[in-house]
Amino acid sequence: MTLLETIRKRRSQRAELLDTPITEEHIHDLAEAARWAPSPFNVQPWALLFVTDPEAKAALGRMSRESTAEQLGSADFVQDVARWTSVTEDEWRARGDGVFLGDQLAESSLAHTVAPFLMKHTKAAALLGKLGAGQGPGKATERLLVDAPLVCVVFRDLARVSPGANGDMWTSFAIGAMFQNLLLVATDLGIGAQFVCAALETPGGRRQVGALLGAGPSLEPALILRLGYLSSDADKLSVRRTREAFVGRNRFEEDT
Ligand SMILES: Cc1cc2nc3c(=O)[nH]c(=O)nc-3n(C[C@H](O)[C@H](O)[C@H](O)COP(=O)(O)O)c2cc1C
């Protein structure tokens, strides 16, 4: 694969991953890819933990279940999600952004029938969430982490902030570059990855995850990924806006 092909092939894999453990050699390659990411002043503001311990995965899963269920009880959150969710694949392709509702739900879930209605009636959805309807999606999120052969937690190292008034922002960019390196090498190795970040949504959640994993005071969990070998080479659909929609030359025109 050329690099551009690998970039296009990378997906947030929602499908089942194989149980096969990720080899030490491949974990080494993922870490090596992360290691060579750029960062402002080369501060390398990150740390990585590869988690295989079943108890730690179970605890991360439980935290993700609770956070997901709580989020789905918030009308504001559900409304934000609805804004970025397409109910049909055609709508999703035409928009070229956001996520497809069918991808977000478990295959056999009853939610497939009611979810389109709930996306239009977000207050009702949040009310149902408060009454416990978020437990289903919460449990699905939990299983993603419990069943994953490998979980990778990316930390931002607050003791390694880049110089300058905008250091925080430059540091976040570096972390993005770091995990994209890791994801591209994973794609090349036939390893699927999915972000499962619900547990990190709030400062309290980030503290809990850090404490669970023994992170020192300067390490803030930034991202949770589940990783596993993919069962087939099948390309999963995703969409993007056209290049013309966001790439320009020289300066923006009046109507952009
Ligand atoms: C910083 C970041 C956090 C994300 N968090 C989640 C998440 O918690 N759950 C999830 O299902 N996808 C998450 N995603 C994946 C996006 O939904 C996905 O990248 C986007 O829909 C495009 O799909 P693709 O990556 O398959 O092309 C996250 C992506 C990024 C970059």
Side-chain angles (χ1 to χ4, degrees), residues 13 54 62 74-75 119 125 150 157 159 169 211 224 227 230 238 254:
Q13 295 292 346
R62 180 177 44 73
S74 152
M119 285 293 108
L150 185 66
D157 188 340
M169 191 162 99
I224 302 176
L227 297 154
L230 289 167
S238 193
E254 289 288 308

Side-chain angles (χ1 to χ4, degrees), residues 10-12 14 98-99 104 179 194-198 223 236 238 240:
R10 183 215 52 79
R11 282 289 159 275
S12 300
R14 292 166 208 282
V99 297
Q104 310 292 311
F179 72 74
Q194 182 183 11
F195 301 85
V196 189
C197 298
L223 212 61
K236 181 183 166 296
S238 193
R240 292 295 188 270

